Amino acid sequence: MLTLNYTFDPADIILLRDPTRQQIIDSFDQLSEVTTKDDNVLVFYAGHGVWDKQKELGYWLPSDAELKSRSAWIANSQIKDYLSDNVIRSKHTLLITDACFGGSIFKSRSVSAEMIVRINELYREPSRKAMTSGNLSAVPDKSIFIQQLLKKLGDNEDDFLPAQQLFSRIYEPIVNNAATNPLYGIIQGAGDGGGDFIFIRRK
């Protein structure tokens, strides 16, 4: 969808299938070495997650993770550090997660789905945003989130589609058909300046 319908170059895509913790961390390190302040970065994670209610910490669980040991877990705080503007130095970074407890990446209130700002203003200012399939809860194995994300990207006829507008299009169909509450908002403390990631439709 991204390479055929939008201006994502296949040569720039890093695809990890069932990655280990080391493979995910190595890929973040690779991004941090090659990304410049003129780039836009989209990170998409579909997989397992866990929420430690007592410690109020969320984690990604790579393919080599074990529930009895946290040595291969990746804390949301580490993901946030990689996505900050002083590590992956892109102008706009968008994290999309389809995982249980994905909403634990947020430490502030989510951005309203109805908040629409002009495209040039959104692109001018830097952004660090996240879109998740759920809040602090489990999400179904059959992902309505992914279905709606692909559908709305495929149906879109706008040349420039802000991530927050994409979220506003998928939100209602998801909550109407699944017991989950998708979120969109700022990755707190990562360098967001009020802008947004823009999906640019391929001509």
Side-chain angles (χ1 to χ4, degrees):
M1 178 66 71
L2 295 177
T3 57
L4 292 178
N5 291 31
Y6 296 87
T7 55
F8 289 78
D9 189 336
D12 293 333
I13 293 178
I14 301 171
L15 177 62
L16 303 177
R17 296 184 183 276
D18 298 321
T20 63
R21 172 189 168 85
Q22 180 178 339
Q23 288 173 318
I24 293 175
I25 297 302
D26 286 348
S27 293
F28 276 130
D29 284 332
Q30 180 183 347
L31 275 174
S32 70
E33 293 295 326
V34 300
T35 305
T36 73
K37 60 181 178 60
D38 296 320
D39 291 323
N40 299 310
V41 171
L42 170 63
V43 176
F44 176 82
Y45 174 74
H48 295 290
V50 69
W51 170 249
D52 186 326
K53 185 176 181 180
Q54 182 178 0
K55 297 179 180 178
E56 295 189 345
L57 295 173
Y59 300 86
W60 288 3
L61 300 184
S63 61
D64 58 340
E66 299 178 4
L67 287 177
K68 62 184 180 182
S69 171
R70 301 191 181 198
S71 60
W73 298 12
I74 305 177
N76 278 348
S77 57
Q78 187 173 11
I79 296 163
K80 187 183 79 171
D81 287 344
Y82 270 112
L83 298 181
S84 66
D85 57 353
N86 62 339
V87 179
I88 294 178
R89 294 177 291 274
S90 55
K91 184 169 187 178
H92 300 284
T93 295
L94 174 64
L95 170 66
I96 300 179
T97 66
D98 185 21
C100 293
F101 313 104
S104 60
I105 192 71
F106 298 113
K107 289 297 183 183
S108 63
R109 295 174 61 186
S110 60
V111 175
S112 168
E114 289 76 29
M115 187 183 72
I116 304 301
V117 187
R118 291 199 308 261
I119 298 295
N120 60 340
E121 293 177 348
L122 289 174
Y123 194 80
R124 183 174 61 244
E125 300 299 334
S127 67
R128 294 294 185 278
K129 300 290 198 306
M131 186 185 306
T132 73
S133 58
N135 191 7
L136 301 182
S137 59
V139 296
D141 290 334
K142 185 177 180 182
S143 178
I144 295 175
F145 177 79
I146 295 298
Q147 292 175 1
Q148 286 299 318
L149 191 66
L150 290 172
K151 184 179 188 307
K152 299 308 181 186
L153 284 171
D155 292 345
N156 172 54
E157 296 183 354
D158 296 332
D159 290 337
F160 304 99
L161 177 63
Q164 62 186 17
Q165 190 170 339
L166 172 62
F167 177 76
S168 72
R169 294 178 184 181
I170 70 173
Y171 179 81
E172 190 168 341
I174 293 173
V175 297
N176 287 346
N177 293 282
T180 185
N181 184 37
L183 294 177
Y184 176 80
I186 297 164
I187 302 176
Q188 190 76 6
D192 185 87
D196 200 3
F197 187 98
I198 309 293
F199 291 85
I200 304 173
R201 204 157 63 98
R202 194 178 292 278
K203 301 292 186 180

